[in-house]
Structure formats: structure tokens, C-alpha cells
């Protein structure tokens, strides 16, 4: 189902092809996040036009609202949201461990209270796979224990044990036709735990492997290390997915470390604060500097927002809370993330990835504020991942 087409000679970057029931996904790939069955502020036609190959849906949110009976009645998530291309769903583990109000971890899952109405619910490997089967995603994720980055070594150990037990349980559950299941490697910032978790998970022979427990508030250097501790123990001929990451520069660095798949809410989340991503870092469109700036968000960008509107106009829209403003910044940001992935694939094909990486990183100035926005992830009820 995954074909490794090429590995870069100078880095660990990989060019691949993932074949799913709803179509082929060229990797490295960025998956826009449709938390509630929609990518915030964007419509599916825009997503298709900017080259989206696969969307992510959140089991936890869709299970709470509209609920599985409605999605089953619609004929699955693809039909409910009318998205004919591939879909990946997360298992809800990340949300239960970060959003839910009260919880009791038990042998076969977690008892928690809905962040919406406080109702008592239970989610474990069996339930998570049943939800994802009803959603009918092309790729389902195992139910894992995702600890905070402040977890003690003892808590990390327990999370790895639970994650492994639950992954084995997920593997035995019925699936939607052709549905793939990916495992999730935990272990925090501990090299030995990451190795152990990766080795034990891969022995289950799942369809792909994710690096979890990243994007939980840790510093960038720790995040890169967690990835470096994990990838050497993942099979070369299967897809690797870093969950909840990152900024454009981080995506380039993670591709260089051998990661194939990404999802992140940053493009749409920061857009709602009036922040645009560019190849030189982030830019506050809302800021006074854009008041009389008649240029586009980014010179040379081919997105609709840049072809049509000035920074000054977008700043005005954002300042008066016109929906078009946040739609256009969301569109530009998502477009940039997808184009950067497309360029990386082209450079991998041409054998020029290492040069591209050097140029991209030299040009990109990371913003502390944006890196901090990533930390809201686990605690934001409106949008997770
Ligand atoms: Zn643009």
C-alpha cells in the first residue's frame, strides 16, 4: 500500500506513494485538519484547487457531534462531508487526554466527561476503532495514551505500556473495507522508551507508524529529538507520520529526518489572529505596518488571496471582523503549506532536496509567538491538532 520511490542521498528525506481506497497520496504530504468535518474557514473546492490530497478528521469531536448515528445514516464521513478523496481519522486519544474534563484511566480505555456538556463517556481501543469504522476513514489511528510533556519518567513508562497494549487491541478490531491502521509511538523525550515502543509496535505489523507525544508544548529541539529517537526503528517501506506538526520550516526539517506525513492546525489557527505564514516567517497582517501596504501577503504566491487582494485591504477586513479577511489568510496559509510540500516532492524527484532545505531554512525566520501558538493545541476545545 506504500511504495518508497526514492530516498534522498544527502538527507533521510523520502519520496513515496500511499495507495488508499479513495485514491493515491503522494508523500511527503501535508493533511489539512477538518476537526469537525470541515477545515476552518475553507471550503472543499478551495482545498482541492490548492492540491489537498488527504484531509484529517477528529473522531472525538465527530463522535460527540453530530454523533455516529448521523454519520452512519449519511453513509460515512466521506459522504457526509462530500469529500471523495482520502481521509485520515485520529482515534480520539489525544483529545481525551488533553480536552476531557475528568478522567479515570482503566485497563481498556478512559472514562471521561465530555468537554461540551459534562456527560460521562468511555473511549478505549475498541470504541475508537468502532468510531473510525463508522466514519469509514482510509487511515485509522490506534487509540494511544498521549502524556503531557511535563510527564514524569514513570508516567511516560505507563503511557508506553498502555499504548502498546491498546495498539494490539486496536489491531484485532473490525475495520471499514480497505481501512489501514497506523500505530503511534510514544515515549516522550526518552530515547530508550521511544526505541522500545517503536520496536514493539512494528512487531504488530500495522500499516504505518506515527510519532506521537510531539506538539504537546515541548521546545522545538526536544520535538526534533523525539523524532530522531524514533525514525531509525521504523520500517523503511512503511509511511511515517508526525502528529500535529509544525511550521513550514519544521516541516522541511522533519522531511529531512525521514517523515512522510503531517497535519497541523497552525495555518488556520494563526490566520484567525491575523497572522500569515510566508517563506520568510510569519507576518501580522493586522499590524499597523500593513495599513498602507498595497502588495499581496506574499510576492510571487499564486493563491487567490495574493492574486486578488492587498495587505492593506486584508488588514481592514480583519480589523472589522469581516469573514472574508480570515478566510483569505487561512487560504493563503494552507496554500503555502501545501505548496512547500509539493516543492519538496519535486526536489526529491530531481535530487536537489538538500539544497532546497538549506535555502528554505536560511530564508525562514521562526516566530516565537507562532511556536507558542502550537502549545495551545491540547487545550483548545475549538480545534485540536
Ligand atoms: Zn498567497
Amino acid at each position: 500500500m506504500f511504495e518508497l520511490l526514492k530516498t534522498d542521498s544527502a538527507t533521510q528525506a523520502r519520496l513515496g506513494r500511499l495507495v488508499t481506497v479513495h485514491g493515491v497520496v503522494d508523500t511527503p504530504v501535508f493533511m489539512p485538519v477538518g476537526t469537525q468535518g470541515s477545515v476552518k474557514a475553507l471550503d472543499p473546492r478551495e482545498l482541492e484547487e490548492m492540491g489537498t490530497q488527504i484531509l484529517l478528521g477528529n473522531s472525538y469531536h465527530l463522535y460527540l457531534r453530530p454523533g455516529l448515528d448521523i454519520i452512519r445514516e449519511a453513509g460515512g464521513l466521506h459522504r457526509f462531508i462530500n469529500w471523495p478523496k482520502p481521509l485520515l481519522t485520529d482515534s480520539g486519544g489525544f483529545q481525551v487526554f488533553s480536552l476531557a474534563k475528568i478522567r479515570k484511566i482503566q485497563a481498556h480505555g478512559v472514562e471521561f466527561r465530555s468537554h461540551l456538556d459534562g456527560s460521562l463517556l468511555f473511549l478505549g481501543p475498541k470504541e475508537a476503532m468502532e468510531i473510525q469504522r463508522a466514519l469509514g476513514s482510509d487511515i485509522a489511528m490506534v487509540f494511544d495514551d498521549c502524556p503531557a510533556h511535563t510527564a514524569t519518567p514513570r508516567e511516560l513508562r505507563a503511557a508506553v505500556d498502555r499504548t502498546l497494549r491498546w495498539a494490539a487491541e486496536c489491531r484485532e478490531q473490525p475495520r471499514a473495507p480497505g481501512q489501514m491502521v497506523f500505530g503511534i509511538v510514544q515515549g516522550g523525550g526518552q530515547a530508550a522508551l521511544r526505541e522500545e515502543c517503536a520496536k514493539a509496535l512494528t512487531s504488530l505489523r500495522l500499516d504505518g507508524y506515527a510519532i506521537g507525544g510531539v506538539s504537546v508544548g515541548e521546545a522545538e529541539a526536544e520535538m526534533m529529538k523525539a523524532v530522531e529517537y524514533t525514525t531509525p526503528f521504523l520500517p523503511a517501506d512503511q509511511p511515517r507520520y508526525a502528529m500535529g506538526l509544525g511550521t513550514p520550516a519544521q516541516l522541511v526539517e522533519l522531511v529531512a529526518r525521514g517523515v512522510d506525513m503531517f497535519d497541523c492546525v497552525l495555518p488556520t489557527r494563526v490566520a484567525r489572529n491575523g497572522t500569515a505564514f510566508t517563506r520568510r516567517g510569519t507576518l501580522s497582517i493586522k499590524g499597523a505596518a500593513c495599513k498602507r501596504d498595497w502588495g499581496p501577503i506574499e510576492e510571487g504566491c499564486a493563491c487567490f488571496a495574493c492574486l486578488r487582494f492587498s495587505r492593506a485591504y486584508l488588514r481592514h477586513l480583519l480589523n472589522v471582523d469581516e469573514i472574508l479577511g480570515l478566510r483569505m489568510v487561512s487560504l493563503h496559509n494552507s496554500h503555502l503549506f501545501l505548496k512547500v510540500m509539493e516543492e519538496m516532492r519535486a526536489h526529491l524527484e530531481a535530487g536537489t532536496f538538500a539544497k532546497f532545505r538549506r535555502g528554505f531554512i536560511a530564508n525562514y525566520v521562526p516566530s516565537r509567538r507562532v511556536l507558542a501558538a502550537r502549545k495551545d493545541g491540547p487545550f483548545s476545545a475549538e480545534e485540536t491538532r
Side-chain angles (χ1 to χ4, degrees), residues 60 63-65 96 99-104 110-123:
Y60 172 88
Y63 167 67
L64 296 184
R65 293 182 304 192
V96 166
L99 279 185
K101 281 166 189 160
I102 300 168
R103 59 172 207 260
K104 200 173 359 167
V110 184
E111 197 182 271
F112 63 97
R113 288 192 184 274
S114 154
H115 75 279
L116 296 174
D117 61 5
S119 56
L120 193 62
L121 300 164
F122 186 87
L123 206 55

Side-chain angles (χ1 to χ4, degrees), residues 251-274:
L251 298 188
V252 173
E253 282 303 311
L254 290 163
V255 165
R257 285 163 172 76
V259 181
D260 310 304
M261 301 169 71
F262 304 91
D263 77 282
C264 193
V265 294
L266 274 181
T268 47
R269 174 174 294 158
V270 305
R272 296 199 293 280
N273 306 324

Side-chain angles (χ1 to χ4, degrees), residues 296-298 300-307 328 331-333 335-336:
I297 301 175
E298 184 161 31
C301 176
C303 86
F304 178 75
C306 288
L307 293 180
M328 290 300 103
L331 188 133
H332 166 83
N333 285 350
H335 180 271
L336 176 67

